[in-house]
């Protein structure tokens, strides 16, 4: 490297070194397919490698190679348990090779984080890396920054991070001191609105005030509804008689009523959220997990608080935000690995420019994927699932049951309990606990119930894992016992995976299936469906349902029909596409903000680093004073105005009257000089009093505070703009073009005002010291 060789040239030697070291210290020699995976990861691509193929070990190859440049490699995991686990696992290898390994965890001090980031290989979660970036752009001194360059990132379980998690931006927020009483008032308006009876969106419908779009979890007001809303705003004194709902300052009210309607008609207690300690807590739709610190945006959370009559918490205002997409795109090189990427390869290509390459398995895959069984009702389906579990249990074959929510896990658990079938249920208490339960899901007679994403990243070995902290003298006996159990599970056909429902995306189905059949093990999987499943209820056409009804099935009898199977996969594609569009739109809108964010952060960083702040302020100030004077042609007519401006905005008592009386034809330059001299005189006095260096520090702080304040307001405005922009659609304008136009105008305007505010604020604040 030092002699000028490129990483590509060094790849063979670097990879061989890693392989040899791994063999010596771990007794694991990278398989050839793992070397292939390593090459793919080095080449800015996504490697699809099945679960259990050893992605953790694969990652050591490109990580070592890319760390040679000295710029640091970030390895991203889904949660902190996995970050710590993988760092610990690979540390001996990296350290043998002379590299430092760091872990970046939430809650670490700045010093600890800086130390972690100075390592060659840094492990951490996507959230933590992303928040560090945002926080680094909010510091008041360069010394408080933690991140170095964003060089090479390797994302484990990349689909989960770049797809599932990428639907909402990451936000750092503070309190906005908004008037929360309004949520109660809008909550009271809800009963006035009538739900539209027809199932299709119809804005000019006369049969109701709003339409519910169940698929998109959205509510739309019809023309009737908008009229009614305008009337209610008047009634509750939000607007005057002569005001329209559509004016710029009023359209934000639409957001409140939409939030109130969504709270009442779409979001249900104990399904979408629970109430705990008088607080609304979101339940994650994929994992069934409580999302303790998250709040819904767009006022929805407050609207639900109003609906449930719990304390309404202050709307938090965004101080900084970025999408995961735009964060990761800042790295010079991205790569990722997962068991399930192929179905999403289009999105990886379009959004991130990442190619997906499928790596073959080390041993041939012999898992049996059994055809779906479809039942008329949920009840019949659950019965069949229980029957399947029971059969496995009786033969001692281990089973893993995947559900879509904690609630559904509990239904199955209860039935098994009644039958006396011993089982484990993943209760989402902690990642570590989940990992320890799921790692034993391959033992004889094990029945494990889990929501679909839970325990991801943990290997399921047939026969279970041997506890690391075991007595050395007994190890041989224990190994023998394990081998016997392992062989027995293999004879029984390995782990059987049951899916209790098809998920909204084929990828999640594949993820669940992939839990079995690792590294050439036997295994089987089967999905159970019913016509009452939400995927089928919402996305499968009435015609197909009618055909099924014509089959005249007996109770408990399943259907297997290729029409239905293809209809389901079509439905999944439709949902996948819908979610893709949401993410695409999020990024399209964030791209615009991203340009502004980059400019803004650049300005802020320059201020942070600036050596001669006094010169910067002087230049700025002279510009501003010039601008003020430019606005007046005839000073004599505007003496009072001018004096007021300097008095109010610059804390400067300056008598234009006296100055102009003696000089009838005074030049602008002379006035400027006189004003500046006066300011300088005041400045000198203050500098003497407070100390020259102290004043410079105060100035910097004032400027950064103003910048942050303006940025916060700008983000708020952009948010309103984005939400309101769809109403422009009514007047046949392209919402995105409008958004670009307006946000550009607002942003450049903000930069202009900023200059003025900085000068005026500094002078005012400093002269009051
Ligand atoms: P993945 O992340 O691909 O699902 P893991 O990285 O968790 O898989 O690895 C699964 C198991 O395979 C681990 O127990 C690991 O020690 C083992 N393993 C990985 N690579 C090798 C290898 N080359 N030789 C032997 N065992 C390996
Ligand atoms: Mg893994």
């Amino acid at each position: 490297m030092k002699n000028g060789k490129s990483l590509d040239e060094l790849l063979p030697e670097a990879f061989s070194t890693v392989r040899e070291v791994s063999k010596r210290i771990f007794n694991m020699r990278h398989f050839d397919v793992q070397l292939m995976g390593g090459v793919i990861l080095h080449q800015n691509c996504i490697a699809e490698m099945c679960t259990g193929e050893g992605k953790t070990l694969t990652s050591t190859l490109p990580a070592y190679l890319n760390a040679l440049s000295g710029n640091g490699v970030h390895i991203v995991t889904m949660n902190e348990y996995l970050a710590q686990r993988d760092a610990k696992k690979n540390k001996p290898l990296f350290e043998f090779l002379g590299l430092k390994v760091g872990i970046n965890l939430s809650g670490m001090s700045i010093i600890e984080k800086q130390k972690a980031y100075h390592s060659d290989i840094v492990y951490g979660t996507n959230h933590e890396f992303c928040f560090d970036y945002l926080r680094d752009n909010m510091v008041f001194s360069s010394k408080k920054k933690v991140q170095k360059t964003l060089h090479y990132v390797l994302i484990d379980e990349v689909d989960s991070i770049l797809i599932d998690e990428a639907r909402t931006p990451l936000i750092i927020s503070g309190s906005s001191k908004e008037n929360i009483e309004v949520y109660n008032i809008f909550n009271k308006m809800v009963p006035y609105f009538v739900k539209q009876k027809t199932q299709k969106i119809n804005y000019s419908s006369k049969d109701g005030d709003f339409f519910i779009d169940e698929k998109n979890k959205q509510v739309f007001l019809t023309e009737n509804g908008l009229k009614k809303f305008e009337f209610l705003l008047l009634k509750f004194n939000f607007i005057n008689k002569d005001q329209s709902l559509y004016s710029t300052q009023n359209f934000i009210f639409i957001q409140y009523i939409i939030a109130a309607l969504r709270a009442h008609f779409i979001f249900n207690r104990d399904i979408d959220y629970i109430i705990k300690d008088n607080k609304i807590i979101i339940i994650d739709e994929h994992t069934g997990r409580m999302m303790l610190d998250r709040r819904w945006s767009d006022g929805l959370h407050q609207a639900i608080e109003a609906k449930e009559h719990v304390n309404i918490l202050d709307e938090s205002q965004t101080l900084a935000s970025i999408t995961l997409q735009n964060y990761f795109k800042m790295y010079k090189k991205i790569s990722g690995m997962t068991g399930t990427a192929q179905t999403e390869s289009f999105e990886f290509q379009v959004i991130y420019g990442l190619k997906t390459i499928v790596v073959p398995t080390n041993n041939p895959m012999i898992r049996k994927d059994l055809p779906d069984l479809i039942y008329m009702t949920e009840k019949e389906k659950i019965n069949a699932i229980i029957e399947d579990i029971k059969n496995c249990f009786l033969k001692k074959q281990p089973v893993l049951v995947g559900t879509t929510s904690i609630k559904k896990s509990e239904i199955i658990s209860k039935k098994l309990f009644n039958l006396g079938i011993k089982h484990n249920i993943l209760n989402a208490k902690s990642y570590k606990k989940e990992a320890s339960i799921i790692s034993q899901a391959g033992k004889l007679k094990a029945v494990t119930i889990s929501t679909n994403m839970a325990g991801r990243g943990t290997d399921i070995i047939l026969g279970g894992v041997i506890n690391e902290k075991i007595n050395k003298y007994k190890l041989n006996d224990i190994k023998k016992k394990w081998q016997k159990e392992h062989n027995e599970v293999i004879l029984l056909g390995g782990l059987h995976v049951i899916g209790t429902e098809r998920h909204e995306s084929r990828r999640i189905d594949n993820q669940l299936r992939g839990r079995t059949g690792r590294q050439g093990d036997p295994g089987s999987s089967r999905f159970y469906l019913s016509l009452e499943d939400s995927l089928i209820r919402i996305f499968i056409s009435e015609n197909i349902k009618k055909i099924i009804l014509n089959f005249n099935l007996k109770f408990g009898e399943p259907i297997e029909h290729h029409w239905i199977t293809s209809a389901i996969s079509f439905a999944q594609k439709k949902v996948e596409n819908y979610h893709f569009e949401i993410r695409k739109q999020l990024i399209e809108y964030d791209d615009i903000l991203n340009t502004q964010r980059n400019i803004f952060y650049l300005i802020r960083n320059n201020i942070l680093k600036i050596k001669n702040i006094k010169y910067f302020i002087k230049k700025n100030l002279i510009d501003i004073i010039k601008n003020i004077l430019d606005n007046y042609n005839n000073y004599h007519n505007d003496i009072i105005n001018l004096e007021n401006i300097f008095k109010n905005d610059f804390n400067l008592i300056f008598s234009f009257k006296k100055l102009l009386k003696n000089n009838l034809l005074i030049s602008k330059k002379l006035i400027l000089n006189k004003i500046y001299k006066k300011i300088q005189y005041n400045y000198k006095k203050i500098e003497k009093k407070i100390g020259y260096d102290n004043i410079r520090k105060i100035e910097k702080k004032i400027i950064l505070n103003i910048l942050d304040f303006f940025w916060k307001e700008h983000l708020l405005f952009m948010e309103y703009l984005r939400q309101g922009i769809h109403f422009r659609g009514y007047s046949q304008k392209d919402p995105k073009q409008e958004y670009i136009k307006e946000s550009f105008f607002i942003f450049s305007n903000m930069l202009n005002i900023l200059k003025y505010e900085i000068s005026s604020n500094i002078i005012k604040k400093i002269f009051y010291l």
Side-chain angles (χ1 to χ4, degrees), residues 42-43 183 222 392 429 451 455 502 504 575 634 644 762:
H42 168 66
Q43 288 176 342
Y183 288 101
T222 62
C392 293
K429 286 239 170 72
T451 49
R502 284 297 205 107
E504 286 190 344
V575 188
N634 185 339
N644 275 341
I762 283 184

Side-chain angles (χ1 to χ4, degrees), residues 360-460:
T361 54
N362 186 43
N363 290 313
M365 164 78 79
I366 55 168
R367 183 184 69 221
K368 287 194 197 105
D369 293 326
L370 306 166
D372 294 356
L373 290 178
I374 305 152
Y375 293 84
M376 297 294 288
T377 61
E378 171 89 10
K379 201 175 157 198
E380 290 164 87
K381 181 179 85 171
I382 301 273
N383 284 347
I385 290 168
I386 300 291
E387 199 58 29
D388 196 356
I389 299 173
K390 202 170 90 190
N391 286 337
C392 293
F393 183 73
L394 291 176
K395 342 182 249 208
K396 298 197 196 164
Q397 183 182 14
V399 204
L400 176 69
V401 186
T403 70
T404 49
S405 69
I406 297 250
K407 212 171 169 180
K408 287 188 177 150
S409 289
E410 274 162 2
I411 293 173
I412 305 234
S413 167
K414 216 167 164 186
K415 296 233 171 199
L416 293 178
F417 181 79
N418 289 340
L419 289 170
I421 296 177
K422 210 176 139 234
H423 58 276
N424 271 313
I425 173 165
L426 263 61
N427 50 13
K429 286 239 170 72
S430 85
Y431 291 119
K432 197 172 168 188
K433 208 153 172 210
E434 277 184 359
S436 89
I437 293 177
I438 205 116
S439 69
Q440 302 295 3
K443 285 182 82 70
L444 276 179
K445 275 173 91 171
V447 178
T448 312
I449 307 171
S450 147
T451 49
N452 66 58
M453 296 309 249
R456 196 165 167 182
T458 303
D459 200 21
I460 304 179

Side-chain angles (χ1 to χ4, degrees), residues 589-634:
Y589 278 92
D590 191 57
D591 273 347
I592 298 156
L593 188 59
N594 201 39
T595 321
Q596 299 174 351
R597 181 172 37 234
N598 288 340
I599 297 174
F600 181 81
Y601 282 173
L602 195 73
I603 295 175
R604 198 183 187 283
N605 275 324
N606 281 340
I607 300 280
L608 209 55
K609 280 188 281 190
I610 213 165
K611 287 267 153 52
N612 195 344
I613 190 106
K614 191 172 172 168
Y615 175 74
F616 168 83
I617 291 170
K618 177 181 166 184
K619 213 172 137 271
N620 207 27
L621 189 63
I622 289 176
D623 275 358
I624 293 292
I625 299 174
K626 244 193 222 148
N627 273 345
I628 296 174
L629 296 177
D630 278 345
N631 283 335
Y632 296 91
N633 292 327
N634 185 339

Side-chain angles (χ1 to χ4, degrees), residues 224-238:
N224 260 357
L226 286 165
K227 257 184 228 146
K228 190 175 272 179
F229 184 49
E230 204 164 25
F231 164 78
L232 286 168
L233 284 177
L234 200 63
K235 183 178 147 99
F236 285 94
N237 290 325
F238 281 101

Side-chain angles (χ1 to χ4, degrees), residues 56 156-157 457:
T56 318
D156 191 12
E157 307 288 353

Side-chain angles (χ1 to χ4, degrees), residues 50-57 82 85-86 89 156-157 337-339 456-459:
C50 290
T51 309
E53 283 293 300
K55 289 186 281 294
T56 318
L57 191 65
L82 291 172
R85 185 198 72 178
D86 291 356
K89 252 193 197 172
D156 191 12
E157 307 288 353
M337 51 190 193
T338 172
R456 196 165 167 182
T458 303
D459 200 21

